Amino acid sequence: MNKNIIKGLATTLAGAALLVLHSSLCVSCKEDIDESNLYTFTGETIEDYLTNRSEQFSSFNYILSRIGYDKILSAYGTYTCFAPGNEAVAEYIDSLYNDQTNKDLPHNGMTAQGLEGLTDSLCKDIALFHLLNTEVMGIHMGNGMTIKTLLGRDINTNIDSITGQVMVSRYSAITSMDNELENGVLHEIDHVIRRSNMLVAGEMESHPEQFTLFTQALKVTGLADSLNMTEKTGLNEVTNNDKYWVPERCEMGYTIFAETDETFSANGITNIEQLAAYAKQQYEHCAEQGGGWYDYARNHNIEVSTGGDYENPWNVLSMFVRYHIIEYKVPFDKLVYDYNQQKSMTLVEYYETMLPYTLVKLTRNSGKRLLNRWIENNTLTDRVGGLGTNAMHQERFAGVELYGAASQVAAVNGYIHPIKDMLVYDVNVPQGALNERMRFDDTSLLGEMMSNSIRGMTNAEVKAHADAGDNYNRVRFPSNYFNNMVVYNGDDTQMRYLTKDEGNYSNYQGDEFLCIGVYDFAMRLPPVPDGTYELRIGYTANGNRGMLQFYLGRSSELTSMQALDIPLDMRFVPAPGSDGTPDTRTGWILWTNTDDQGVESDANMRNLGYMRGPLYYTIGVNGSTVARSNAQDLRRIIAKQVFEQGEYWLRFKTVLRDNANAQFHLDYIEFCPENVYNNTIYVEDMY
C-alpha cells in the first residue's frame, strides 16, 4: 500500500482511539479542547509546511534557517514544531528590542529592530524553544503536560478555561492543532512561546501583580540571593557498554508555593511587619520543651528568634518562608503522579522543604492540588478489604489549594505555584496530616529525577535522547548524579532507570529504578516526625535479582552504619503449595482464595517480616491484577524502631560479590507509624 494511505489510516485509527480515551477521561470536565483541526495529514515535511505557507510563517522559517534547522526539518526524523505566525514573531521581536530591564545587554543584544537584528544566539534560543524531538499531539497536551524542548528548557500546557484552547506556557494558544507531517507534527500558535531568563526569585519579582509581599519576604530573609542553583557540574564518567542514555547535564532548581498578595490580604496581611507578626504567632513556640511540635528544632535545643534578624535561618519569618520552598523543580502536572493506581484512589506525594527536615504533603483530590490535607485515621480502616467508612475518615483540614496549571510561573531554575491560603508547619502537620502510612516512590527521594524531567518519562522521550543507532529506552546515571545518594564503589554500582511504559511492570507508579553489579550505595531517607515506625521497602522478586544486606545510619559515613535484619534474597518468588498451603518462607498465599480476604495470612506474613503488595496499584495501566494478588510484589519490614526527625541513610550492599549481573530493585519505601500498624481500634488498610 502507498505510504501515505497507510499513515493516514493509522492516524485516523489512532485519532479515534485517542478521542475515545479523552472522552472517557474527561466526562466531568467543563473545559474541552476544540477538536475541529485534529488529525489532518498533508504529505509534507515540517519545512515544506512552513515554506508552502510563507505568507504566514516566513519569519519563523527565517529564524530556523539562521541556525540550519530548515534543513533538519526537511529530513527524516520525528519532531514537534510550535509555529508562530509572522505577526506573532514581529510582536515578539519588538518586545525584545524595546525591553529596558537588562541594563547589561541593551535590546537583549539585538543589533537593530527587526528580523535581521536578531543575533545567532537569539535565533537558536527562539527556534529550539519551539521544537521537540518527539511527537506530541494536542489531545495529550489538553490535560496539562510538561514537555522538554530542544533548548533543554521545559514548556507547560493547559486548557484556557474561557476559550477551551490549548495554551502553551500560559500565553500562546494553539490555533491549528495536530497537523501531521512526514517527519512529525506541527501546531500553529498565536504568540511566540515566552521563556524566562530569570532565576526563580527574579521571576517572582517580575510579577508584582501577584507576589509583591512574598518577593519582599524572600529579600529580607536573604533567601532571594541564595536560590541560584541551575546545574550540577563535575559529573563522573560512566562506562556505558549497554549504550543507554546517560544524561550529560544535571539541572538543579526550586519549587515555591507562594501566597499571592490577594491571599495575604484576605488574612489581614498587607506588609512585611504584619507577615513577621503572623510568622511569630505560628512558630514562636514550635521548639519549646514539653509543648513544641517541631521535633528536630526541639531535640536540638534550637532557639527560635522573633526579632528583626530576618536572615537568621531560625527567625520565625525565615522559617515561614523556608517551609514554602522545595529544592528541586516540579511543574504543576507532575506534583502528584498517577499511572497505574486503582481509579478510586486519592493520590499523594510528600516533599521535603527548606525548613530543615520537614515534609509537606501534597494531595490530588477532585482535580485539585492540596497542601497538608488532613483526613482523620487516614490509612486505617474499619472494613476488611476496603478503605473504611466515612464516619472514621472525617476531614480535619481541607488543605491549602494551589491555583492550577494555568497560574504556575516558570523560571530558568524553577516553578512558582500560587496558593489560596496560608501554608505553615503547625502542630496539625506532624501530628495530623503526616500521622499516617507514608509511601515514597524511589524516584521521589531523588530530586534530580524531577528537576531534569526524568521521573515519569516515556519510552519515546528516552529514546529521543539516545545516540543514533543506540535507540535504547533506558537511562544510566553517573555515580554522583544524585545528592541524596552516595555510591561507595564507583562504576561497580550501575544505576539504571526503566520507563513506566517499557513494559507492564508491577511497580508503584509504573517505572523502575535498578542497580546492577557488585553494588554498594546508600540513599538518604525522607525525614519523618518523631515516633516509632516500621520501615519497609517494596520490591518485585524475580530470578534476576540479587541478595543484599541493609544498613541504617545517621549519616552516609560507613562508620555510622549498623546492619538491619538478615540479608534479603530478592531472587526468591513465593510459591504456595499445590494443596493451597502458604509459601513457607514468606507466608504468601493468594488472598482471594481465603475465607477472610487474607487477614490471617497477612498476620502470618508479618510474623515472617513480609507483607503483600498493596491494593493501591495494578500490573500495568488499567490492569486486572492488583499488586496484592501478585506473588512477586512484596514488602519487607526491615526495621521497627524509634526514628527522630532528622538525618537517616539506608545502605544497600550486595552479598553476592561474584555476581556482577545481580539486580537490586527498590520500588518504594514506607514509613508506617505505630498507631497505624498497631492500632487498638482499627487496622491498617490493604491499600
Side-chain angles (χ1 to χ4, degrees):
M1 293 178 67
N2 179 278
K3 174 188 175 184
N4 289 349
I5 295 176
I6 296 173
K7 187 170 183 178
L9 177 60
T11 298
T12 302
L13 293 173
L18 286 171
L19 288 174
V20 170
L21 174 60
H22 179 260
S23 174
S24 67
L25 292 175
C26 296
V27 171
S28 61
C29 293
K30 295 181 181 178
E31 304 152 347
D32 292 314
I33 304 171
D34 178 3
E35 298 170 345
S36 59
N37 289 311
L38 293 180
Y39 309 111
T40 60
F41 179 71
T42 65
E44 303 167 300
T45 66
I46 291 174
E47 176 59 21
D48 290 336
Y49 189 97
L50 299 173
T51 301
N52 294 339
R53 296 157 184 80
S54 59
E55 74 286 351
Q56 187 176 357
F57 297 112
S58 59
S59 295
F60 183 61
N61 209 18
Y62 168 84
I63 293 171
L64 293 171
S65 67
R66 283 276 298 273
I67 63 168
Y69 258 75
D70 55 335
K71 297 180 178 63
I72 291 175
L73 297 178
S74 298
Y76 175 79
T78 304
Y79 303 95
T80 298
C81 175
F82 296 94
N86 292 340
E87 291 184 7
V89 173
E91 176 189 47
Y92 182 71
I93 288 175
D94 287 344
S95 72
L96 288 178
Y97 189 82
N98 296 324
D99 179 16
Q100 302 297 319
T101 60
N102 192 341
K103 304 299 182 183
D104 298 326
L105 194 65
H107 308 300
N108 286 288
M110 290 182 64
T111 58
Q113 189 165 8
L115 272 173
E116 289 74 14
L118 290 170
T119 62
D120 289 344
S121 176
L122 280 171
C123 286
K124 179 180 178 181
D125 286 356
I126 295 169
L128 298 188
F129 200 52
H130 289 73
L131 297 173
L132 319 175
N133 57 2
T134 55
E135 190 173 80
V136 178
M137 308 301 287
I139 201 76
H140 299 127
M141 291 187 283
N143 290 326
M145 197 175 186
T146 299
I147 314 165
K148 183 77 73 176
T149 67
L150 284 178
L151 187 61
R153 298 270 303 275
D154 289 342
I155 56 176
N156 313 99
T157 70
N158 64 278
I159 295 180
D160 186 278
S161 60
I162 298 175
T163 66
Q165 290 178 296
V166 175
M167 305 297 295
V168 183
S169 293
R170 299 180 69 181
Y171 300 107
S172 303
I174 297 181
T175 55
S176 178
M177 184 185 296
D178 292 353
N179 296 286
E180 275 212 291
L181 304 166
E182 289 285 356
N183 57 351
V185 61
L186 181 144
H187 310 288
E188 298 179 11
I189 56 176
D190 65 351
H191 291 91
V192 171
I193 302 173
R194 299 187 186 184
R195 69 191 188 285
S196 171
N197 289 320
M198 291 184 282
L199 300 180
V200 67
E203 182 63 32
M204 177 179 281
E205 188 174 11
S206 72
H207 292 266
E209 75 286 355
Q210 285 184 289
F211 302 118
T212 299
L213 187 50
F214 204 101
T215 296
Q216 188 178 359
L218 283 176
K219 288 182 175 180
V220 300
T221 57
L223 289 166
D225 295 329
S226 67
L227 304 180
N228 54 14
M229 291 190 304
T230 58
E231 186 173 349
K232 181 188 296 185
T233 58
L235 296 179
N236 293 336
E237 293 291 325
V238 172
T239 301
N240 188 24
N241 295 328
D242 293 314
K243 297 188 181 299
Y244 293 168
W245 170 47
V246 178
E248 296 178 356
R249 298 181 63 223
C250 183
E251 297 179 22
M252 309 291 284
Y254 308 89
T255 300
I256 303 178
F257 303 110
E259 289 91 349
T260 63
D261 292 340
E262 181 181 1
T263 298
F264 280 132
S265 180
N267 287 272
I269 302 169
T270 58
N271 57 52
I272 200 69
E273 291 76 21
Q274 291 173 338
L275 181 55
Y278 176 85
K280 177 182 177 181
Q281 179 184 359
Q282 298 298 322
Y283 289 100
E284 182 178 13
H285 304 294
C286 69
E288 290 182 353
Q289 298 298 322
W293 61 90
Y294 184 3
D295 302 325
Y296 174 79
R298 186 192 63 247
N299 294 342
H300 290 79
N301 296 309
I302 290 172
E303 183 178 348
V304 174
S305 171
T306 59
D309 56 338
Y310 298 145
E311 293 192 12
N312 175 354
W314 295 107
N315 178 276
V316 289
L317 181 59
S318 180
M319 293 171 68
F320 173 85
V321 176
R322 288 172 186 272
Y323 190 61
H324 290 67
I325 306 173
I326 300 169
E327 291 188 270
Y328 36 90
K329 301 187 294 184
V330 192
F332 183 87
D333 67 298
K334 295 183 178 180
L335 283 168
V336 183
Y337 272 81
D338 63 337
Y339 185 67
N340 55 349
Q341 80 289 338
Q342 295 214 63
K343 301 308 178 187
S344 61
M345 300 308 303
T346 296
L347 307 176
V348 176
E349 298 277 358
Y350 307 89
Y351 293 109
E352 186 173 358
T353 79
M354 283 187 68
L355 183 62
Y357 302 108
T358 60
L359 296 174
V360 63
K361 176 183 174 182
L362 214 153
T363 302
R364 176 172 156 185
N365 184 259
S366 300
K368 298 178 180 179
R369 307 297 190 274
L370 305 166
L371 298 167
N372 289 337
R373 181 174 184 248
W374 175 19
I375 302 298
E376 191 173 22
N377 297 314
N378 202 29
T379 69
L380 286 165
T381 184
D382 59 358
R383 188 170 57 189
V384 174
L387 289 168
T389 58
N390 292 334
M392 66 170 292
H393 288 151
Q394 297 297 308
E395 183 180 83
R396 298 290 299 275
F397 177 56
V400 176
E401 185 180 352
L402 279 64
Y403 271 88
S407 298
Q408 72 179 343
V409 177
V412 167
N413 67 337
Y415 288 94
I416 303 161
H417 300 294
I419 57 179
K420 298 182 178 182
D421 206 345
M422 305 296 289
L423 176 64
V424 293
Y425 186 76
D426 62 14
V427 65
N428 293 327
V429 179
Q431 298 180 22
L434 300 180
N435 188 19
E436 61 187 20
R437 178 192 61 232
M438 291 176 281
R439 184 177 296 144
F440 301 81
D441 185 74
D442 55 351
T443 57
S444 75
L445 306 178
L446 307 170
E448 294 82 357
M449 294 289 286
M450 286 162 280
S451 290
N452 292 274
S453 301
I454 298 174
R455 184 185 183 192
M457 265 189 168
T458 64
N459 259 328
E461 289 170 328
V462 174
K463 286 180 179 179
H465 289 282
D467 293 334
D470 291 352
N471 203 34
Y472 273 92
N473 54 352
R474 298 182 175 184
V475 190
R476 176 83 194 279
F477 298 99
S479 59
N480 62 343
Y481 197 81
F482 303 110
N483 287 342
N484 281 352
M485 179 181 288
V486 172
V487 175
Y488 299 114
N489 59 350
D491 218 30
D492 286 340
T493 299
Q494 303 173 31
M495 294 177 287
R496 305 181 182 187
Y497 179 70
L498 284 60
T499 62
K500 61 188 179 184
D501 59 343
E502 177 181 331
N504 281 334
Y505 299 130
S506 185
N507 289 330
Y508 177 57
Q509 299 183 353
D511 53 5
E512 188 162 301
F513 187 85
L514 292 175
C515 279
I516 295 180
V518 187
Y519 53 82
D520 187 2
F521 68 101
M523 293 179 67
R524 183 175 176 273
L525 295 175
V528 294
D530 281 9
T532 300
Y533 293 85
E534 280 188 349
L535 173 61
R536 312 161 177 167
I537 72 156
Y539 69 101
T540 52
N542 70 49
N544 296 318
R545 307 293 195 219
M547 186 174 181
L548 73 152
Q549 178 66 56
F550 298 101
Y551 301 81
L552 186 67
R554 296 306 301 263
S555 77
S556 60
E557 296 295 324
L558 288 175
T559 54
S560 80
M561 297 287 181
Q562 299 293 320
L564 292 175
D565 200 24
I566 61 174
L568 173 64
D569 191 346
M570 290 186 167
R571 299 168 299 181
F572 181 79
V573 179
S578 58
D579 58 353
T581 55
D583 173 69
T584 55
R585 185 183 297 193
T586 65
W588 195 94
I589 188 174
L590 186 61
W591 64 285
T592 53
N593 290 342
T594 66
D595 295 331
D596 61 356
Q597 298 191 59
V599 172
E600 183 180 356
S601 61
D602 281 341
N604 293 335
M605 288 188 69
R606 287 182 57 82
N607 290 334
L608 295 169
Y610 287 93
M611 296 176 66
R612 291 181 172 89
L615 277 174
Y616 185 93
Y617 63 91
T618 62
I619 300 177
V621 179
N622 299 320
S624 59
T625 302
V626 292
R628 181 172 168 83
S629 299
N630 181 27
Q632 292 179 265
D633 272 288
L634 294 169
R635 283 177 278 184
R636 178 69 175 176
I637 304 169
I638 60 175
K640 185 183 295 184
Q641 66 175 61
V642 172
F643 284 85
E644 294 182 348
Q645 188 175 29
E647 193 92 357
Y648 287 91
W649 288 76
L650 187 61
R651 179 187 177 194
F652 312 92
K653 182 180 181 181
T654 183
V655 298
L656 303 177
R657 304 295 298 174
D658 58 346
N659 187 349
N661 296 313
Q663 297 178 355
F664 164 76
H665 178 226
L666 173 63
D667 190 11
Y668 55 89
I669 71 163
E670 292 180 349
F671 272 101
C672 187
E674 186 176 27
N675 74 299
V676 173
Y677 72 77
N678 196 27
N679 195 278
T680 58
I681 301 174
Y682 306 115
V683 296
E684 181 181 352
D685 67 44
M686 296 177 179
Y687 288 82

